[in-house]
Amino acid sequence: MSNAVREYQMRFAEIFSAERAFAFWKGRVALYAILKALGIKEGDEVILPGYTCVVDVNPVKYLGARPVYVDIEPDTYNIDVNLLEQNITANTKVIIAQHTYGYPCELDTIMDIARRNSIAVVEDCCLALGSKYKGKTVGTFGKAAYFSFQWNKLYTTGLGGMVLTNDLRLAEKIQSLCEKELCRPSKKEILMLVAQLAVYRAIVYPRTTALAQTLFRYLTKKGIVVGSSKFDEYAAAPIEPDFFKAMSVIQARCGLRQLKKIEENIAYRKKMAHIYDKMLEEKGWPTRQYDASIIEPVMVRYPVRIVEKEKALAQAAKAGVELGSWFDSPLHQIRTSLRAYDYEPGSCPQAEKAAREVVNLPLHLRVSEKTAERTVEFITCFTKVL
Ligand SMILES: *Cc1c(COP(=O)(O)O)cnc(C)c1O
């Protein structure tokens, strides 16, 4: 392993005061490492929110386990803890506590249920780097947590993922798994990643234009830059031989630079989210609903519910307004073959409703107050969902 990757892992663990961190090519690879090290195998069940990304489901399927989806709670889009116990069976081995949009899950209840049933909790912190639950940073509650540094997360290394854990026995297992099975990215993949980062810096970073984003997505589709998801990862396909891949030096160096600015990044996102709260409130729109005495969210994007989602997304692209849409299905990006992932259409009504209604507003460092105002002007022309 290179020194840069080792240093990035150490620095990352340090900022969470956690024991160990392990860097990977992508976030989903980090989840796979955790599940495999926990011994997840055929016949096991893994609980996930029915409002997630299909790339979270694939590692479960790769190991032959069955994903079990639990509906969400409509204010925070996180797993509804009142529905948790009825979904636990003798085969349940893991609960994936996904902190959606940056809102921490109801961790006290989840940890308590998990403890009573001898189930491991794995935190999905891909959208919640820096969020706090009862004063403690998320990612340090469960058996392990994983993070993503894909291009629209809190900060990016192009692609990238990290495991965080305080469990030394699990860490040893992940370590030995990496020594035995981890493959290296190819020269071509690294070159494409460098190109991606260059494109990102040149066209996406300086301006917050929807045009740049559209162009970036187009280039990704054409295979000119490495997208975070290959087309075939959207099908319930068997694991690719080179899926379990290490982080490259370029990603690690990029991550180390980003960690130096992490405090400002987090502070800016918190400030912008409060600005959106105020602007929406002034227009008589619902704002974020959470108990500030319990959670302190660091949001990656700001969710808003509207009636005409498809129309708004199409018009935003034309008007140059940066409007996002995760998750647009219970298993984001999968529209049709949900059953191939063991999702029964209709089984998570709140998640399906959210997928139909929620668009999200940008909170990154390129969003000025003026951009936020324009975005709010745009979105409030549509019909709010109360
Ligand atoms: C981005 C994301 C992932 C996966 O990250 P990759 O690095 O693209 O593999 C997983 N879960 C959630 C909730 C995410 O937002």
Side-chain angles (χ1 to χ4, degrees):
M1 187 190 294
S2 77
N3 287 336
V5 175
R6 195 170 295 123
E7 194 185 336
Y8 184 33
Q9 293 181 159
M10 272 173 50
R11 280 290 299 133
F12 198 86
E14 231 171 70
I15 62 164
F16 288 87
S17 307
E19 289 287 344
R20 297 289 300 271
F22 296 91
F24 294 94
W25 179 244
K26 294 181 186 180
R28 67 199 74 173
V29 184
L31 171 61
Y32 177 81
I34 297 169
L35 295 177
K36 188 150 185 180
L38 286 171
I40 299 307
K41 56 181 187 322
E42 207 168 325
D44 291 342
E45 290 173 10
V46 174
I47 290 181
L48 298 137
Y51 189 65
T52 189
C53 197
V54 70
V55 303
D56 283 299
V57 184
N58 279 332
V60 177
K61 299 284 278 179
Y62 290 162
L63 293 165
R66 195 168 79 88
V68 173
Y69 304 98
V70 173
D71 206 1
I72 55 163
E73 178 279 306
D75 287 338
T76 63
Y77 308 93
N78 285 326
I79 213 158
D80 184 342
V81 291
N82 297 314
L83 304 173
L84 206 45
E85 290 199 274
Q86 69 198 59
N87 281 288
I88 292 173
T89 72
N91 297 323
T92 311
K93 296 288 154 63
V94 171
I95 296 169
I96 297 186
Q98 173 188 295
H99 305 302
T100 313
Y101 294 115
Y103 291 118
C105 292
E106 223 179 289
L107 281 161
D108 275 354
T109 315
I110 294 173
M111 293 309 294
D112 180 52
I113 293 172
R115 211 172 291 121
R116 279 192 280 112
N117 292 280
S118 308
I119 299 168
V121 173
V122 173
E123 290 175 79
D124 178 345
C125 297
C126 294
L127 300 177
L129 208 167
S131 293
K132 286 181 181 169
Y133 179 83
K134 295 195 173 169
K136 194 176 160 201
T137 313
V138 302
T140 54
F141 287 82
K143 192 107 181 143
Y146 66 104
F147 296 80
S148 166
F149 314 118
Q150 184 249 0
W151 68 287
N152 50 39
K153 303 301 158 100
L154 190 109
Y155 69 79
T156 189
T157 62
L159 301 170
M162 190 78 83
V163 170
L164 192 72
T165 187
N166 276 320
D167 186 309
L168 290 176
R169 272 181 55 201
L170 183 72
E172 242 171 66
K173 284 193 184 140
I174 295 174
Q175 175 91 41
S176 95
L177 199 63
C178 290
E179 280 162 14
K180 277 190 220 129
E181 294 181 28
L182 200 62
C183 67
R184 287 170 169 283
S186 67
K187 283 212 173 73
K188 187 179 163 214
E189 282 170 319
I190 292 174
L191 272 172
M192 280 170 78
L193 187 75
V194 172
Q196 174 178 11
L197 283 165
V199 170
Y200 182 82
R201 286 193 194 110
I203 65 174
V204 183
Y205 197 75
R207 275 160 284 157
T208 313
T209 62
L211 180 71
Q213 293 231 346
T214 308
L215 178 62
F216 187 72
R217 286 206 188 99
Y218 174 79
L219 293 172
T220 306
K221 230 187 209 159
K222 294 281 163 196
I224 295 162
V225 294
V226 204
S228 76
S229 295
K230 282 188 208 143
F231 185 72
D232 57 6
E233 275 184 82
Y234 289 146
I239 185 166
E240 292 160 46
D242 65 342
F243 174 80
F244 193 49
K245 207 175 291 169
M247 178 174 275
S248 62
V249 175
I250 286 145
Q251 290 163 292
R253 285 199 188 125
C254 198
L256 281 164
R257 278 197 301 274
Q258 296 289 336
L259 280 185
K260 290 198 181 114
K261 302 182 279 193
I262 189 101
E263 306 265 326
E264 294 99 291
N265 189 339
I266 287 173
Y268 193 77
R269 282 170 190 275
K270 280 188 175 166
K271 186 184 99 181
M272 286 312 299
H274 285 302
I275 287 174
Y276 279 130
D277 285 338
K278 238 176 83 198
M279 287 177 176
L280 287 166
E281 198 180 346
E282 276 166 13
K283 300 221 171 243
W285 274 55
T287 56
R288 294 180 295 165
Q289 293 300 314
Y290 64 92
D291 188 343
S293 69
I294 298 177
I295 69 172
E296 208 181 302
V298 178
M299 319 284 292
V300 172
R301 312 276 300 188
Y302 189 110
V304 176
R305 289 179 188 257
I306 54 169
V307 176
E308 316 94 328
K309 174 165 167 174
E310 296 302 324
K311 195 169 127 198
L313 288 169
Q315 285 186 13
K318 276 199 210 121
V321 172
E322 190 191 331
L323 204 60
S325 168
W326 339 302
F327 302 94
D328 56 19
S329 110
L331 315 179
H332 188 67
Q333 301 276 13
I334 298 283
R335 295 288 191 119
T336 49
S337 53
L338 292 162
R339 281 199 180 92
Y341 293 91
D342 307 298
Y343 182 86
E344 187 56 35
S347 63
C348 297
Q350 285 297 341
E352 291 180 22
K353 185 173 184 295
R356 281 195 303 275
E357 295 173 349
V358 177
V359 291
N360 60 62
L361 318 182
L363 284 168
H364 49 71
L365 295 155
R366 288 105 59 202
V367 183
S368 63
E369 232 171 284
K370 228 172 149 180
T371 320
E373 209 174 301
R374 192 166 157 248
T375 311
V376 169
E377 284 294 335
F378 175 87
I379 202 68
T380 51
C381 288
F382 295 88
T383 316
K384 66 191 167 203
V385 176
L386 289 172

